Amino acid sequence: MTTKAFVIGHPIAHSRSPLIHGTWLVEHGIDGSYEAIDVAPADLPAFFDRLRAGEFAGGNVTIPHKEAVFALCDSVDDLAKTIGAVNTLVVRDGKVHGYNTDYLGFLGNLDAAVPDWNAQQKPALVIGAGGAARAILVALRSRNIPVILVNRTRATADALAGALGGDITLCGLDEINSAAPLAGLVVNTTSIGMHGTRFDDFDLSVLAADALVTDIVYVPLETPLLADARKRGLKVVDGLGMLLHQAVPGFADWFGVRPQVTPALRASIEATLDH
Ligand code: NAP
């Protein structure tokens, strides 16, 4: 019988996940499917009925459902609870289990691109305090990396640091140039970078020469932040790898094969990024 998986969101047409999973299904010769399904918020409970009835092995969850599915899952693992979002569902014996793989995606991307990225154990400067930042802060904590958290709205960063606890120092976006020299890693988790936007007041010359700069925005693949950092001779890692690596655990659960993030997979997704 064909094993079926999905990504649900609203809207969902932009999702690259069907291409990622479709590539792996072909590569491994698996009798399976992975489809994008537009599910409006009001229709989520009915979609969960289909899951419990055994129509799918599981799937991914994207905006705007990452928080709403909490109440519908039969169990949510502790990490997803800490992050406050579910992006992966696995159906077993008629029960739906929720996970979050964004933090694995973030770490998997850096580990693959720069294996010794944390060798110096310097703090990470994380810009942004939204949903993606939350997963990244949990990821950095799992590697014992202290964080300097910079956000435009101080109250949002305060609330996030208070909720997560651990070694997080807060500072405003207007203080970024005094905090940045301490950083071994700079992570942009805001939507700045899309449509050619950049942090106008962030002076990259204050960064240590061995600092690594990464962006989780991947459209465009080389954001202005990454382009500016590259021009200064800094190491950079783009955000596409995070998207690819976060997909691995779900595929392994649904289809029983742990797939690889290969250069060929990356190239096929890259080719879709400009439209
Ligand atoms: P979110 O929850 O809406 O958070 C957005 C963050 O960006 C907030 O910290 C917000 O600051 C900040 N921000 C927005 N506009 C800004 C501006 N003009 N100047 C300064 N800061 C600004 O969004 P999210 O879910 O965390 O996603 C953020 C980005 O990450 C999106 O572009 C998304 O596509 C990308 N993403 C990529 C991956 C991947 O796999 N590569 C995974 C998840 C998300 P305030 O608190 O001040 O509003």
Side-chain angles (χ1 to χ4, degrees):
M1 201 180 77
T2 303
T3 303
K4 291 171 64 180
F6 59 83
V7 56
I8 53 168
H10 185 67
I12 197 60
H14 65 283
S15 175
R16 267 91 186 180
S17 292
L19 185 54
I20 298 171
H21 291 280
T23 302
W24 284 333
L25 285 170
V26 171
E27 187 180 314
H28 294 284
I30 291 170
D31 179 13
S33 70
Y34 183 103
E35 59 185 305
I37 306 176
D38 194 317
V39 177
D43 297 330
L44 261 186
F47 187 77
F48 267 67
D49 290 342
R50 289 170 65 186
L51 294 185
R52 292 200 176 85
E55 189 176 335
F56 298 95
N60 289 119
V61 178
T62 188
I63 293 166
H65 301 315
K66 286 185 174 190
E67 290 84 23
V69 297
F70 263 80
L72 295 166
C73 285
D74 295 296
S75 79
V76 174
D77 89 330
D78 286 345
L79 197 70
K81 282 183 192 157
T82 306
I83 294 170
V86 163
N87 75 339
T88 302
L89 300 174
V90 178
V91 184
R92 288 187 209 102
D93 302 325
K95 296 215 182 313
V96 185
H97 306 282
Y99 301 90
N100 187 301
T101 64
D102 277 339
Y103 100 112
L104 287 174
F106 174 75
L107 293 175
N109 186 30
L110 290 187
D111 289 343
V114 186
D116 64 346
W117 64 272
N118 186 33
Q120 296 193 50
Q121 306 217 300
K122 286 180 169 180
L125 180 79
V126 176
I127 313 171
R134 201 171 167 117
I136 287 166
L137 293 184
V138 173
L140 292 168
R141 187 166 67 189
S142 77
R143 299 282 174 95
N144 298 314
I145 301 171
V147 167
I148 305 164
L149 182 60
V150 180
N151 196 45
R152 177 181 60 177
T153 308
R154 181 62 180 256
T156 313
D158 275 347
L160 181 57
L164 291 181
D167 193 348
I168 302 177
T169 307
L170 298 170
C171 78
L173 202 46
D174 52 345
E175 301 163 301
I176 194 166
N177 292 328
S178 39
L182 301 171
L185 171 71
V186 175
V187 189
N188 174 42
T189 77
T190 75
S191 44
I192 295 284
M194 299 175 78
H195 314 296
T197 50
R198 54 163 41 82
F199 297 99
D200 290 324
D201 299 325
F202 187 7
D203 176 5
L204 297 186
S205 73
V206 304
L207 287 171
D210 59 354
L212 171 64
V213 179
T214 188
D215 205 320
I216 71 163
V217 171
Y218 57 87
V219 184
L221 196 55
E222 179 148 285
T223 60
L225 173 67
L226 294 186
D228 293 348
R230 191 191 297 281
K231 271 186 221 138
R232 302 205 68 87
L234 298 167
K235 284 172 289 183
V236 300
V237 177
D238 66 54
L240 179 57
M242 177 174 170
L243 178 76
L244 302 176
H245 283 275
Q246 66 77 31
V248 170
F251 189 94
D253 262 313
W254 312 317
F255 300 113
V257 176
R258 195 164 185 85
Q260 298 293 312
V261 174
T262 60
L265 174 71
R266 219 192 117 87
S268 68
I269 309 301
E270 255 190 75
T272 71
L273 292 184
D274 51 356
H275 38 83

